[in-house]
Amino acid sequence: MAIIIDGKKVSTEVRNEIKEEVECLKAEGINPGLAVIIVGDNPASQVYVRNKGRACEEVGIKSEIIALPAETTEEELLSKIDELNERKDMNGILVQLPLPKHINEKSVIDRISVEKDVDCFSNENVGKVVIGSPRFLPCTPAGVMELLKRYNIEVAGKNCCILGRSNIVGKPLFSLLLAENGTVTVCHSKTENLSEITKNADILVAAIGKPKFVTADMVKDGAVIIDVGINRMENGKLCGDVDYDAVVDKASYITPVPGGCGPMTITMLLKNTLTASKIQK
Ligand code: GUN
């Protein structure tokens, strides 16, 4: 039976550390602030944005949620970002994705000042991660790395396999695992002989958005299993990309869904907002 990686517990630990640091910054006259923009009324996005605001409040970071109607034009959104780029009291700017179809997400992300891009989505900030001199760390991949670190799971020299090549998770996580000297393979929908690769992995990360895709026969005995997937099943329950009940007996460590990687993403966003306030002081 694997050790269950408790993302809620680690998240609380890290948030307490952030809270202490925020208090120290406030004593120096620095008040970290995060602006979160949401366009339209996607219910899932509304929940995420509310949770981000609440998390800020808990650690003493000021947050401002800017809710714009679905009809907002790209130009109007860009001018809102220009305004926030100028504001000294807002250190981080996050535009919740997805945006309505008439707005070009890339143009919007690249309008955010690179020093305020706490999602770490801009070309420059992604590039800095790739070359190993990051300004910010991409939130979900950084959450995965933090879980590995806090459970003393060594990455150096290990075969790491990432399922999924998204710009938000798979690709940046490749850079972070490589920076820790892992031997990293990124698999995707066109990968051949997938099980042969996953069965060779000491650390297997699933980030493909397919419920229970990773089955026990795809996993090496004693592997570390990190499940980034969050899928809603027909019965309304959440499940990951890993068939947890079957894999838990084979793995040495495993993240549950919910309560594994999920809580870490917002925590790393808070950390980036803290970093932003420090670099802008
Ligand atoms: N939508 C889903 N995940 C994310 C995220 O990490 N950041 C933003 N801005 N939007 C998202």
Side-chain angles (χ1 to χ4, degrees):
M1 177 86 175
I3 292 172
I4 316 299
I5 296 180
D6 188 343
K8 268 184 92 169
K9 179 168 151 269
V10 174
S11 183
T12 303
E13 277 169 23
V14 179
R15 287 186 197 197
N16 285 337
E17 292 163 17
I18 293 170
K19 193 173 176 181
E20 279 181 25
E21 213 175 325
V22 169
E23 277 162 19
C24 291
L25 285 174
K26 283 185 174 169
E28 294 173 37
I30 299 165
N31 277 288
L34 173 68
V36 181
I37 303 178
I38 176 169
V39 185
D41 47 16
N42 179 320
S45 291
Q46 285 173 330
V47 172
Y48 288 133
V49 164
R50 222 173 15 243
N51 288 343
K52 287 170 187 178
R54 211 172 281 152
C56 282
E57 202 176 301
E58 278 167 20
V59 299
I61 292 175
K62 185 173 62 166
S63 75
E64 193 166 303
I65 295 171
I66 298 149
L68 301 174
E71 311 77 61
T72 304
T73 64
E74 186 171 316
E75 212 162 291
E76 285 167 336
L77 179 55
L78 292 174
S79 85
K80 189 74 211 169
I81 292 170
D82 290 342
E83 194 186 297
L84 291 165
N85 280 338
E86 291 302 317
R87 270 176 63 177
K88 296 271 183 284
D89 63 330
M90 284 295 145
N91 308 104
I93 303 171
L94 178 155
V95 179
Q96 187 65 29
L97 304 178
L99 286 169
K101 285 194 176 55
H102 65 277
I103 299 177
N104 184 319
E105 287 185 351
K106 198 82 198 88
S107 313
V108 169
I109 287 164
D110 281 326
R111 190 72 155 237
I112 299 170
S113 151
V114 291
E115 291 203 335
K116 296 192 175 186
D117 167 35
V118 285
D119 257 330
C120 195
F121 284 171
S122 70
N123 293 340
E124 180 176 320
N125 285 330
V126 171
K128 288 177 79 64
V129 170
V130 173
I131 61 170
S133 63
R135 176 183 279 126
F136 298 114
L137 293 175
C139 300
T140 300
V144 171
M145 299 307 291
E146 195 67 32
L147 288 176
L148 295 174
K149 191 169 128 198
R150 301 240 172 186
Y151 277 82
N152 296 313
I153 296 166
E154 181 75 38
V155 174
K158 295 292 187 306
N159 287 331
C160 306
C161 175
I162 302 169
L163 300 181
R165 54 175 158 179
S166 70
N167 288 335
I168 295 184
V169 184
K171 283 183 206 162
L173 183 58
F174 167 83
S175 297
L176 299 187
L177 287 167
L178 187 62
E180 292 299 323
N181 301 308
T183 303
V184 192
T185 307
V186 181
C187 298
H188 47 79
S189 54
K190 301 287 191 292
T191 298
E192 293 181 359
N193 304 318
L194 182 65
S195 290
E196 295 309 308
I197 302 169
T198 58
K199 269 192 291 196
N200 197 35
D202 304 303
I203 299 174
L204 178 59
V205 183
I208 42 175
K210 290 188 180 171
K212 301 185 184 183
F213 180 86
V214 177
T215 48
D217 58 304
M218 295 168 71
V219 170
K220 179 176 172 174
D221 267 321
V224 174
I225 307 295
I226 307 290
D227 192 348
V228 179
I230 303 176
N231 309 289
R232 175 104 31 209
M233 291 186 295
E234 276 176 14
N235 64 8
K237 281 194 172 173
L238 292 180
C239 85
D241 292 348
V242 175
D243 183 359
Y244 182 90
D245 292 336
V247 171
V248 68
D249 291 324
K250 221 171 168 188
S252 58
Y253 291 86
I254 190 165
T255 60
V257 177
C261 296
M264 294 301 292
T265 297
I266 294 183
T267 300
M268 302 326 273
L269 171 69
L270 301 174
K271 207 162 178 181
N272 280 344
T273 305
L274 199 61
T275 304
S277 71
K278 287 191 271 189
I279 60 181
Q280 289 162 42
K281 84 174 166 190

